[in-house]
Amino acid sequence: MDDQAHAARAMWNQLHNLWQMTPKCQRSLSRMDQTLRQARKEIDWYAVLPAQAAQAVLKTYMQAWKNCWDGRAEEPTFKARIRSVMSVDIPQGRDLQIKRVHRRWGMANIPKVGRVRFRWTRDLPVGKAADKENRITGARLVKDALGWHIAFRVQTLELKPEPHTGLEVGIDAGVNLPLALSDSNHQDHGRAPRLPDGTADRDKLLNPDEKAKLLRLEQRAAHRKSFRKPRERNANRLRTTYDQIKQLRARATRRAVDWQHQTTTSLARTYGTVVVEALTITNMVKSARGTVEEPGKNVRAKSGLNRAISQEAWGRTVTMLTYKTARFGGTLHKVPAPNTSRRCSACGLIAPGSREDQATFVCKNPDCGWEGNADHNAARNILHLYRMGHALIPAAGRAVARRTRGVKPTTAR
């Protein structure tokens, strides 16, 4: 599977080079397909990748350009060996030959690999349960620091959900409090986001033993790295230490994604209308280092804040809420972000200095004096903007694209 993933990555890069070298008037899917077939005949190590998986690479590359032209993504780029996620597509579901061994494990056939077993985490339409309207259409193999995983593509017929009659809620995404709700039903993952010295905790989803192990591994890696000469390859022991660090990081990421899935599902079931801020996260996590002529201030503190924002993955939370609210018959709206954290939700006053610290909001109006959690105050302001009719309308092209994509298919990992 490693060989197939590397072959798929190399094929993507060669398709990208061919696309850039070909004049715009001669670019076409048929030309790319013909070149791909010829390359499989002339390059021996391409044979390790099944023909259908190679065609899937071409389709994925062309879809990436369509997403770019529609404004949904950036341009496709070169896939580096270190920074790229190793993955292989299995576009035909009939090739998998899935069989359930017992309650916890199942077996699947991987082309040019053989029979492998996978952890059975949710029901799949196999055997008598499979028909034309409910069946497995393919899968994707993905590798991370914890090993290989398989995600099945399931085609199923879902009835149009009834309109959700739940309450309205405003949600503010934060660092100290991951999700603050306007009705005080805040969602927290139960880990302290700050260390005793006030700095951000990068590993808040790891238990104390795992944090201690991670600290030992980082110290060991730093010690072994000190013996490496400039432009010299990492030693095997240093690479092994790096792999162990990646495993702990991947475990924390998996726990964060699991918490997001459970939390967003609960919110989509409970509330009929969910309102969030329209945040530009890429601008929020820009470095404050500045230039040589004009160096930035509080660079270290801003770096820790950027790292904490990236770990909370606010964009992924909004994406989950978008399709889950639609699945349960609800709606998700976005409102402008300016002044939601500075405005008093009780009297409406916007005054400087109301945020005495990161977690507390104190109204400067002598007749009001409201005091409370800053994220809770922002969540109430977000809901207020929606009720006042300030919800943003998405662009026409993106709105059409979201409607045509439909409900996100269920996957088993």
Side-chain angles (χ1 to χ4, degrees):
M1 289 192 290
D2 288 346
D3 295 338
Q4 290 188 15
H6 286 304
R9 182 189 58 84
M11 188 172 294
W12 170 286
N13 292 334
Q14 293 190 358
L15 288 173
H16 185 60
N17 292 336
L18 177 63
W19 180 273
Q20 291 180 325
M21 292 186 296
T22 304
K24 292 184 178 180
C25 59
Q26 300 180 6
R27 293 174 179 173
S28 64
L29 179 61
S30 59
R31 179 184 177 88
M32 302 282 284
D33 181 54
Q34 182 180 2
T35 306
L36 179 62
R37 295 177 184 272
Q38 186 67 23
R40 286 180 55 82
K41 295 179 181 179
E42 298 178 357
I43 303 177
D44 296 336
W45 52 270
Y46 268 167
V48 71
L49 187 66
Q52 295 177 349
Q55 291 295 323
V57 175
L58 175 59
K59 292 180 181 179
T60 304
Y61 182 77
M62 298 304 298
Q63 184 62 40
W65 275 111
K66 291 180 180 179
N67 295 338
C68 175
W69 296 332
D70 294 340
R72 297 194 300 268
E74 300 293 336
E75 292 185 3
T77 58
F78 181 86
K79 287 190 175 182
R81 182 183 181 93
I82 298 177
R83 294 183 297 272
S84 301
V85 178
M86 298 180 64
S87 62
V88 181
D89 275 341
I90 306 175
Q92 297 293 338
R94 62 174 180 268
D95 296 337
L96 293 171
Q97 302 177 9
I98 301 174
K99 180 180 179 181
R100 188 164 189 173
V101 179
H102 53 78
R103 183 176 62 88
R104 299 183 62 183
W105 293 96
M107 296 286 291
N109 182 65
I110 307 300
K112 294 196 175 183
V113 174
R115 300 289 290 176
V116 298
R117 71 172 186 171
F118 63 91
R119 183 69 176 269
W120 198 283
T121 57
R122 63 185 306 170
D123 293 334
L124 295 174
V126 296
K128 298 181 179 180
D131 52 28
K132 293 183 179 180
E133 297 179 349
N134 191 20
R135 58 193 177 90
I136 296 177
T137 61
R140 168 172 288 188
L141 300 170
V142 182
K143 185 180 182 181
D144 61 6
L146 298 176
W148 281 96
H149 313 279
I150 184 167
F152 295 102
R153 289 190 295 270
V154 180
Q155 175 182 330
T156 181
L157 182 62
E158 293 187 0
L159 299 177
K160 184 177 180 180
E162 296 292 334
H164 201 300
T165 58
L167 301 175
E168 300 174 347
V169 65
I171 299 180
D172 177 70
V175 176
N176 291 323
L177 186 60
L179 294 179
L181 275 61
S182 57
D183 59 355
S184 301
N185 184 23
H186 307 313
Q187 303 295 321
D188 194 359
H189 37 55
R191 302 288 183 181
R194 294 279 170 177
L195 295 175
D197 59 356
T199 58
D201 187 0
R202 297 186 302 169
D203 314 302
K204 54 190 172 185
L205 292 174
L206 297 177
N207 59 42
D209 293 339
E210 292 170 337
K211 289 183 180 181
K213 181 179 179 181
L214 179 61
L215 179 60
R216 291 196 302 269
L217 291 173
E218 289 178 341
Q219 293 175 347
R220 185 183 305 170
H223 176 71
R224 290 176 175 175
K225 186 178 179 180
S226 62
F227 296 98
R228 189 188 65 178
K229 298 180 181 179
R231 297 183 181 180
E232 184 182 7
R233 291 186 59 185
N234 293 334
N236 293 334
R237 291 184 178 181
L238 182 57
R239 287 200 295 266
T240 301
T241 306
Y242 282 153
D243 291 340
Q244 293 174 346
I245 294 175
K246 289 181 181 179
Q247 290 178 2
L248 289 175
R249 299 288 189 196
R251 191 176 303 172
T253 302
R254 178 175 295 183
R255 291 173 184 173
V257 175
D258 179 69
W259 178 84
Q260 284 181 315
H261 272 293
Q262 295 187 25
T263 303
T264 52
T265 301
S266 176
L267 294 176
R269 286 176 176 173
T270 305
Y271 301 100
T273 302
V274 178
V275 188
V276 297
E277 291 179 295
L279 298 175
T280 307
I281 303 176
T282 53
N283 295 338
M284 298 176 62
V285 297
K286 286 185 177 179
S287 175
R289 185 175 302 175
T291 61
V292 178
E293 295 79 10
E294 298 181 0
K297 299 180 180 179
N298 299 327
V299 178
R300 185 174 182 180
K302 184 62 169 62
S303 176
L305 178 61
N306 294 346
R307 187 164 52 245
I309 293 175
S310 300
Q311 287 183 344
E312 292 297 337
W314 296 342
R316 186 169 58 199
T317 301
V318 174
T319 301
M320 292 180 182
L321 283 173
T322 302
Y323 73 82
K324 289 184 180 181
T325 51
R327 179 178 297 173
F328 290 101
T331 56
L332 183 135
H333 301 276
K334 294 183 179 181
V335 296
N339 294 326
T340 54
S341 60
R342 299 174 57 196
R343 176 184 180 273
C344 177
S345 59
C347 66
L349 177 67
I350 300 177
S354 56
R355 295 286 296 272
E356 296 185 353
D357 53 33
Q358 186 68 22
T360 307
F361 181 91
V362 179
C363 181
K364 297 302 181 180
N365 187 355
D367 299 332
C368 177
W370 187 86
E371 182 179 355
N373 183 274
D375 295 332
H376 180 212
N377 176 74
R380 294 174 60 180
N381 289 327
I382 291 170
L383 182 59
H384 172 75
L385 288 175
Y386 168 74
R387 290 175 175 175
M388 295 299 293
H390 294 288
L392 299 178
I393 300 176
R398 295 190 179 184
V400 172
R402 288 178 182 174
R403 286 197 295 268
T404 55
R405 289 172 66 185
V407 180
K408 184 177 179 180
T410 56
T411 57
R413 299 190 181 275

